[in-house]
Amino acid sequence: MKLAVVGGGSTYTPELIDGFARLRDSLPIEELVLVDPAADRLELVGGLARRIFAKQGHPGRIVTTSDVDAGVADADAVLLQLRVGGQAARNQDETWPLECGCVGQETTGAGGLAKALRTVPVVLDIAERVRRTNPDAWIIDFTNPVGIVTRALLQAGHKAVGLCNVAIGFQRKFAKLLDVAPGDVHLDHVGLNHLTWETGVRLGGPDGDDILPKLLAEHGDAVAADLRMPREIVDRLGVVPSYYLRYFYQHDAVVEELKTKPSRAAEVAEMERELLKMYGDPTLDEKPALLGKRGGAFYSEAAVDLAASLLGNGGSPFQVVNTVNNGTLPFLPDDAVIEVQASVDGSGATPLAVPKLDPLYAGLIANVTGYEDLALQAAVHGGRERVFKALLAHPLVGQYTYAEQLTDRLIAHNREHLAWA
């Protein structure tokens, strides 16, 4: 089995390598190719990756290359984890929207749109290269904004499934609070990428008893603290919103908070500098503890599980993924991409049935899906007017004056990445 990781020079990668090494019975990799244009980072990450495999006795071969075509050739699956523009572009995404009184965040709002515009054309080019070299390969997208990127891939006819670590993070945290094995926790997880709610927590599988009310009654303070939301919000909803919902439920307070501290991108950039120094140490043969603060917790477990299922090597029967709606949420277009529990096998991901959603959630999902449709049009076809309409449609922007100002700022800060600009 051959896997390729595009964006393999990311400081995330040792987390993924560690998962591949520990879970090799689920995913017997013979060759792993790390693909990245940044040769200096790739050398450091590749060296550590080989040492991790060696320490854990993994027989697979790790290859590094800056040649996308060579890297993805004959791969059974290709994982995408790239960041166009690096942390510098992310820092801009998180700062210039604040000038207009809007949330600055790399996956939602104006900053999320900027990331989508930079990313979608690059991902589609890579996917075409994969299709030319191996049309049967699965593409697993971890690149944000995952929902929009996955929709772009699927609409272009690629074999793609999107992956996010929010759901597996909740599963692991709930299992710890309940003192049960993570595999015993099944989430009624519904929404769009970074716009989801856990409407039920079941033990034993999708037909198990819903113990969410018990979980909130006994551990509501811990759950709310993890979300960085007041417990009152969680209690009144009676569900567990993704922590990204604080940008919607507490928008103005979050904007004021973000104005008073360095951006997350600045924090991560400093962390990455330290990590790369560590990766250059020839005696380091395990992922360092600092990587746990980088983000992407449990990403490796989720990626191994998904790849194993898609490639016919077992894997969990039900996984939370980003996949095409096809009537699962009847108030959305069939070609919308949703994030729900799905049955995953070699033919792809089939969403499980979702009970009728409360309008409180369905309304916001429909609104953001409309924005994502406009965002994808802007990413594929370009043009200032398309960018403006996408911003006007986003519930975190939504005002004509803000949309005008943010459009100008977005283009000014991203001109080098926008061919049409």
Side-chain angles (χ1 to χ4, degrees):
M1 179 185 297
K2 175 180 176 179
L3 264 65
V5 180
V6 180
S10 168
T11 54
Y12 266 137
T13 299
E15 163 71 24
L16 189 61
I17 298 299
D18 179 72
F20 287 157
R22 289 186 293 102
L23 304 171
R24 56 184 174 273
D25 290 342
S26 299
L27 203 62
I29 299 170
E30 296 168 288
E31 182 178 355
L32 177 63
V33 184
L34 305 181
V35 185
D36 203 292
D40 52 344
R41 293 170 63 108
L42 191 58
E43 181 180 358
L44 295 173
V45 174
L48 175 57
R50 294 185 185 97
R51 294 193 296 273
I52 291 174
F53 262 30
K55 181 179 182 180
Q56 299 195 31
H58 194 297
R61 184 169 70 106
I62 295 178
V63 178
T64 59
T65 181
S66 297
D67 186 332
V68 174
D69 293 317
V72 303
D74 301 321
D76 296 287
V78 178
L79 280 70
L80 305 180
Q81 57 169 35
L82 55 144
R83 181 183 295 280
V84 180
Q87 294 299 330
R90 177 182 179 177
N91 184 65
Q92 293 180 352
D93 295 343
E94 295 176 340
T95 51
W96 54 262
L98 297 174
E99 299 169 5
C100 299
C102 295
V103 159
Q105 213 279 328
E106 67 157 340
T107 64
T108 192
L113 176 60
K115 194 171 197 297
L117 297 180
R118 294 192 304 269
T119 304
V120 166
V122 175
V123 166
L124 289 178
D125 175 68
I126 293 168
E128 285 299 326
R129 293 167 183 265
V130 173
R131 180 150 54 190
R132 286 198 301 267
T133 58
N134 186 5
D136 293 326
W138 278 103
I139 297 176
I140 298 174
D141 178 61
F142 193 65
T143 296
N144 282 317
V146 167
I148 295 173
V149 173
T150 303
R151 189 172 182 181
L153 288 166
L154 290 172
Q155 288 188 355
H158 299 289
K159 292 176 60 177
V161 180
L163 180 64
C164 180
N165 69 321
V166 167
I168 193 172
F170 275 134
Q171 181 198 46
R172 299 305 173 88
K173 289 166 187 172
F174 294 166
K176 187 174 182 179
L177 291 172
L178 297 166
D179 195 24
V180 299
D184 291 336
V185 176
H186 179 93
L187 302 176
D188 291 345
H189 178 104
V190 63
L192 310 176
N193 180 241
H194 291 183
L195 192 86
T196 53
W197 296 263
E198 312 307 327
T199 60
V201 177
R202 303 179 185 277
L203 294 182
D207 298 321
D209 293 333
D210 182 11
I211 50 88
L212 178 58
K214 180 176 184 290
L215 175 71
L216 293 179
E218 296 180 0
H219 304 286
D221 288 342
V223 171
D226 187 60
L227 299 173
R228 297 177 65 195
M229 294 184 192
R231 178 168 180 176
E232 179 185 5
I233 292 178
V234 180
D235 286 342
R236 293 184 71 175
L237 292 176
V239 303
V240 180
S242 160
Y243 39 83
Y244 288 93
L245 265 296
R246 72 189 295 259
Y247 299 118
F248 295 81
Y249 293 158
Q250 299 173 277
H251 176 274
D252 292 354
V254 172
V255 167
E256 293 307 310
E257 172 193 317
L258 294 174
K259 287 179 177 179
T260 65
K261 62 181 186 180
S263 69
R264 174 62 177 164
E267 295 174 354
V268 171
E270 178 57 35
M271 207 176 300
E272 287 195 331
R273 283 189 284 271
E274 292 300 315
L275 285 169
L276 289 171
K277 288 180 184 176
M278 294 178 181
Y279 296 172
D281 179 355
T283 66
L284 182 68
D285 56 7
E286 60 185 12
K287 63 177 184 179
L290 179 61
L291 187 55
K293 299 179 181 180
R294 169 66 179 81
F298 309 116
Y299 161 41
S300 60
E301 284 88 342
V304 168
D305 207 13
L306 178 55
S309 294
L310 292 174
L311 299 177
N313 284 277
S316 302
F318 306 110
Q319 299 170 45
V320 173
V321 296
N322 285 260
T323 191
V324 69
N325 179 41
N326 275 344
T328 306
L329 300 182
F331 55 89
L332 296 184
D334 283 347
D335 66 348
V337 165
I338 59 175
E339 186 173 291
V340 292
Q341 284 277 4
S343 172
V344 184
D345 58 24
S347 63
T350 303
L352 303 186
V354 174
K356 184 177 179 180
L357 277 180
D358 188 301
L360 180 62
Y361 314 122
L364 186 54
I365 290 171
N367 190 338
V368 175
T369 297
Y371 150 76
E372 290 190 345
D373 182 65
L374 293 168
L376 183 53
Q377 292 182 39
V380 172
H381 302 293
R384 186 188 189 281
E385 190 66 11
R386 291 189 179 94
V387 174
F388 167 77
K389 287 180 178 178
L391 287 168
L392 189 62
H394 201 296
L396 296 183
V397 180
Q399 296 184 53
Y400 175 84
T401 302
Y402 287 171
E404 274 286 293
Q405 294 173 355
L406 289 167
T407 298
D408 289 337
R409 284 169 167 79
L410 185 155
I411 294 172
H413 284 285
N414 291 276
R415 196 174 300 276
E416 65 181 294
H417 299 291
L418 306 176
W420 53 267

